[in-house]
Amino acid sequence: MKEIEHLSDDSNKLSQISELAASLRCPHQLLEEAIRDLQREVQRQLSERQTNDTQLNILELTLSTSNGIQNMTVVFSKPDKRSQWEEAFAEAKQKLASAIERSHVPDFLVSVPIRKTRAGLQFTCASPTLGVQRDVWVCNSDGYVGQVCVLSLVPEPTVTSCNGVCNARILCVASVPASYDGHHTGINISVQDPSASLANTINSIVNSTSKSREKRPSKTAEEANKSSARNSTDIQLDSGSSSEDSETESQPERAASPSQLVATSAPSPAAVPVAGGHRHQESNSEETDVQQSTMWLGTEDGCIHVYNCTDNIRIKKNKIKISHISAVYSILYLSNKVFVSLANGDVCVYSRDHNGWNTANPTTISVGTVSSPVTKLLNVHDKLWCAIQGCIKILNTTTLQIDSQIQISNDSKPITNMAIMNDYVWISVQNSAHLKCCHYESFEIIFEVNLAPSVNKMLSNCDDIIRQHKAACLRVTSLLSCKDLIWVGTSAGVLLTIAASTVCKGSSLPAVTGIPHGHTGHVRFLTFVESPTAGSTDDLSKVGSNSTNKSDATSINNPSPNLLVISGGDGYEDFRSSGSNSVSEIAGREDSTNHLLLWQV
């Protein structure tokens, strides 16, 4: 269409030039002949394009009916209308095929570009926060600075801030739920009926806290006055964390509905509801940190930075900083502990009590070595699977002993990603486009799935040189388990889904489906978050307390019906029309821009 417009424009300009040439007083016969020759050539090209353009308005369809094969011709008013119709028709066919295979079709929502504040910044990992905010912390680095971008989903997906948090690459991030277990926070009393009397609740809490007061020095009068002066008309949760000016600065409080009132007593004076809805807050903000969900960021220089999920990272600095002698490869929350794998082969185990996390004296387990460190951690039915080169060691989280060892890769290629669905663990190895499916008890690899054919099909519209290059170095870069699908990110930028919920020994290979929307470069991470329109704060707390590791490597099946899957990678590309000139021009400008892609599942 643009070419026809350009030729028409040229023809009009040549007519104007011809008129101007005729007004010349000097001899200009040669000029007039040249102009006429050029006009004839432009008219010839214009006629050819218009004839061909008519053919672009026609679409031939072949239909299989009960009476046999029938042909149908559809005529469109413009070629653009035909292209739009073809895309919609192809998408409808894909959804129909997926429905027949009984697999969910992810609905693409939006792509969110994240402009680079420094040259060379690349995504490394991401994790959703726990609580009502439903933000996603996206980490990226250029090797010298670690940056966190906060993706807010309300009212619509928007990057609210991008701030540097450390002078090293951030290798992993994990969300850790608050400690609401009565074993760690004292007595946990839940009042479900708002009309019920609070007398018994208050008496129970007062009795339990009075015992704890006998075991510790009493407050000074000044502290008591400060504590009693802090009243509120709602049942609220405290939020304390450090800031640039203070190590214990309180966060804004969040209100809870009366029907969800939960009174919790700790070894210190607890927040006690009284008549009229007023309560006393704890004067020591450190004690309330136990009731805060946190984000743990592991870096290449061996540090773990801990923030509260509610922290505004633009103005808050880390609440806790833990230093190690080796790089932090993976962080995973499991069984009320945080497991951290280091580059020297150790796995550090952090536990907590009513005072919070014991960061000074973690339990250290030698699982790997300096030459063969633990690079990935995965919760497999309450056992910790530790990936070391081409094998997996299974750690008992109660005894902290190695129970078993599995050899995954015979050629010692390192394991790069793991994800679990039901009783099967999906595993990728370095520089391979194959996925292995392993049973969690028998350790038997029941089959391998070759992803190359599905990726090549998605790249069929790309330039030949680009397609050949991406196919030659194809490998799996990220894995995610969400609902009944295994999501696969590849080095080609193509995302795939595998219908893995019905996989079992003896079953046929599951269907591998390519997703039309992807990245121009590598898929750097995959994660998911509960949709802001679904669930409640309690649901999020349950998800957080039972989750494995919501980083780029893996996650668990979430029973919530509405989830958002998020991929992060280099550039954005629609593979359905990647051969179009207009799309390629746009993609060329966006190749170096990091993009977040969101799907509804």
Side-chain angles (χ1 to χ4, degrees):
M1 293 296 293
K2 287 185 178 180
E3 199 169 358
I4 293 176
E5 291 175 2
H6 292 162
L7 288 171
S8 299
D9 189 41
D10 289 345
S11 180
N12 294 332
K13 288 179 180 178
L14 286 171
S15 297
Q16 296 174 7
I17 293 172
S18 178
E19 292 175 2
L20 291 173
S23 64
L24 292 174
R25 293 190 176 92
C26 62
H28 53 273
Q29 184 177 358
L30 294 177
L31 178 59
E32 287 182 341
E33 289 177 358
I35 293 173
R36 281 195 296 270
D37 291 342
L38 190 54
Q39 281 181 313
R40 282 194 293 269
E41 178 61 23
V42 170
Q43 286 296 330
R44 184 187 64 79
Q45 293 183 20
L46 184 59
S47 298
E48 288 181 357
R49 297 297 186 277
Q50 288 173 341
T51 302
N52 294 334
D53 190 63
T54 304
Q55 298 298 320
L56 293 176
N57 295 341
I58 300 174
L59 181 65
E60 299 287 344
L61 295 178
T62 302
L63 308 177
S64 298
T65 66
S66 57
N67 299 326
I69 302 296
Q70 294 185 4
N71 295 323
M72 177 184 293
T73 301
V74 182
V75 180
F76 297 88
S77 59
K78 294 180 180 180
D80 290 346
K81 295 288 185 182
R82 170 185 165 171
S83 299
Q84 293 174 5
W85 190 88
E86 277 188 293
E87 286 185 7
F89 183 70
E91 189 172 345
K93 284 177 63 178
Q94 184 185 30
K95 288 187 176 183
L96 178 61
S98 299
I100 294 173
E101 295 168 359
R102 296 183 179 180
S103 62
H104 293 289
V105 179
D107 293 325
F108 181 70
L109 296 181
V110 68
S111 66
V112 181
I114 297 185
R115 306 298 173 184
K116 295 181 180 179
T117 56
R118 289 171 59 98
L121 283 174
Q122 288 183 336
F123 290 141
T124 55
C125 52
S127 176
T129 61
L130 301 175
V132 272
Q133 287 180 291
R134 294 185 177 93
D135 292 338
V136 179
W137 285 24
V138 180
C139 304
N140 52 79
S141 175
D142 60 356
Y144 301 98
V145 171
Q147 187 184 79
V148 174
C149 297
V150 178
L151 175 69
S152 176
L153 302 176
V154 179
E156 60 184 12
T158 307
V159 177
T160 57
S161 65
C162 286
N163 294 91
V165 296
C166 59
N167 294 323
R169 183 187 300 273
I170 302 173
L171 301 181
C172 53
V173 58
S175 50
V176 176
S179 176
Y180 291 106
D181 189 344
H183 177 71
H184 300 282
T185 59
I187 298 175
N188 203 2
I189 302 171
S190 175
V191 180
Q192 302 296 336
D193 185 2
S195 63
S197 172
L198 292 175
N200 294 333
T201 304
I202 297 172
N203 292 335
S204 300
I205 297 174
V206 171
N207 291 336
S208 63
T209 54
S210 63
K211 294 180 182 179
S212 64
R213 290 195 187 99
E214 295 174 1
K215 298 180 182 180
R216 50 180 265 171
S218 60
K219 289 186 177 181
T220 64
E222 182 180 356
E223 289 175 331
N225 291 334
K226 289 182 179 179
S227 177
S228 61
R230 297 172 182 168
N231 293 327
S232 173
T233 57
D234 296 317
I235 303 302
Q236 298 174 325
L237 297 177
D238 291 338
S239 174
S241 75
S242 62
S243 68
E244 294 294 338
D245 301 322
S246 172
E247 291 298 323
T248 55
E249 180 180 315
S250 297
Q251 290 285 312
E253 297 174 343
R254 294 197 299 262
S257 63
S259 61
Q260 296 175 341
L261 169 63
V262 177
T264 304
S265 69
S268 60
V272 182
V274 296
H278 294 282
R279 65 163 176 85
H280 299 292
Q281 298 178 348
E282 294 177 303
S283 63
N284 189 348
S285 63
E286 291 183 359
E287 293 172 356
T288 64
D289 284 342
V290 182
Q291 299 179 6
Q292 292 297 316
S293 299
T294 50
M295 301 294 288
W296 292 49
L297 284 69
T299 65
E300 200 170 39
D301 64 352
C303 291
I304 299 175
H305 302 268
V306 182
Y307 293 84
N308 282 340
C309 283
T310 55
D311 281 351
N312 183 345
I313 204 165
R314 297 184 63 182
I315 60 175
K316 297 288 184 180
K317 79 174 189 180
N318 52 309
K319 183 181 72 171
I320 302 171
K321 181 179 179 181
I322 310 169
S323 296
H324 293 280
I325 60 174
S326 299
V328 180
Y329 280 163
S330 186
I331 301 175
L332 186 144
Y333 172 79
L334 174 62
S335 302
N336 206 39
K337 302 182 183 74
V338 173
F339 295 84
V340 176
S341 67
L342 304 178
N344 64 356
D346 291 343
V347 172
C348 294
V349 186
Y350 291 93
S351 58
R352 62 182 168 189
D353 53 21
H354 59 271
N355 292 319
W357 291 100
N358 179 14
T359 58
N361 299 300
T363 302
T364 302
I365 310 166
S366 295
V367 180
T369 63
V370 175
S371 59
S372 300
V374 178
T375 54
K376 294 292 180 182
L377 300 174
L378 178 67
N379 172 17
V380 180
H381 298 297
D382 295 329
K383 295 289 184 72
L384 189 67
W385 283 36
C386 308
I388 306 170
Q389 292 293 335
C391 74
I392 294 173
K393 291 186 178 181
I394 301 176
L395 181 70
N396 188 310
T397 57
T398 303
T399 64
L400 299 182
Q401 300 293 321
I402 301 297
D403 286 348
S404 307
Q405 181 170 323
I406 316 167
Q407 190 67 37
I408 299 296
S409 176
N410 294 327
D411 52 6
S412 297
K413 283 187 177 180
I415 294 168
T416 54
N417 296 283
M418 298 186 294
I420 181 173
M421 177 165 289
N422 300 330
D423 294 337
Y424 293 90
V425 179
W426 296 78
I427 303 167
S428 67
V429 297
Q430 191 178 59
N431 298 328
S432 174
H434 290 246
L435 277 183
K436 300 175 186 286
C437 183
C438 175
H439 191 270
Y440 86 103
E441 278 186 328
S442 66
F443 308 145
E444 178 185 359
I445 297 177
I446 59 172
F447 53 68
E448 286 190 27
V449 178
N450 183 11
L451 305 174
S454 299
V455 173
N456 291 334
K457 182 179 179 181
M458 298 304 299
L459 296 175
S460 59
N461 290 330
C462 293
D463 180 80
D464 289 342
I465 296 177
I466 295 176
R467 182 175 66 252
Q468 291 170 10
H469 172 72
K470 289 186 173 184
C473 56
L474 182 62
R475 62 189 183 276
V476 176
T477 56
S478 54
L479 282 180
L480 175 72
S481 172
C482 184
K483 288 199 172 177
D484 59 354
L485 294 176
I486 294 290
W487 288 66
V488 186
T490 67
S491 58
V494 176
L495 291 119
L496 308 167
T497 58
I498 301 177
S501 60
T502 58
V503 165
C504 61
K505 186 176 181 180
S507 64
S508 58
L509 289 176
V512 180
T513 305
I515 298 178
H517 302 273
H519 299 278
T520 310
H522 295 185
V523 180
R524 301 289 179 178
F525 70 80
L526 284 166
T527 188
F528 75 81
V529 63
E530 187 174 358
S531 173
T533 58
S536 63
T537 307
D538 293 338
D539 295 333
L540 286 174
S541 299
K542 293 175 183 177
V543 171
S545 61
N546 294 325
S547 67
T548 56
N549 183 21
K550 299 188 177 184
S551 67
D552 55 324
T554 183
S555 54
I556 62 162
N557 294 332
N558 191 334
S560 173
N562 296 311
L563 300 175
L564 296 179
V565 171
I566 304 173
S567 76
D570 310 338
Y572 162 65
E573 188 158 354
D574 186 343
F575 292 106
R576 296 171 301 180
S577 54
S578 56
S580 169
N581 291 332
S582 59
V583 175
S584 296
E585 290 171 4
I586 297 172
R589 293 195 298 268
E590 300 291 339
D591 281 357
S592 61
T593 303
N594 293 328
H595 276 74
L596 302 176
L597 307 184
L598 283 73
W599 289 267
Q600 181 84 48
V601 294

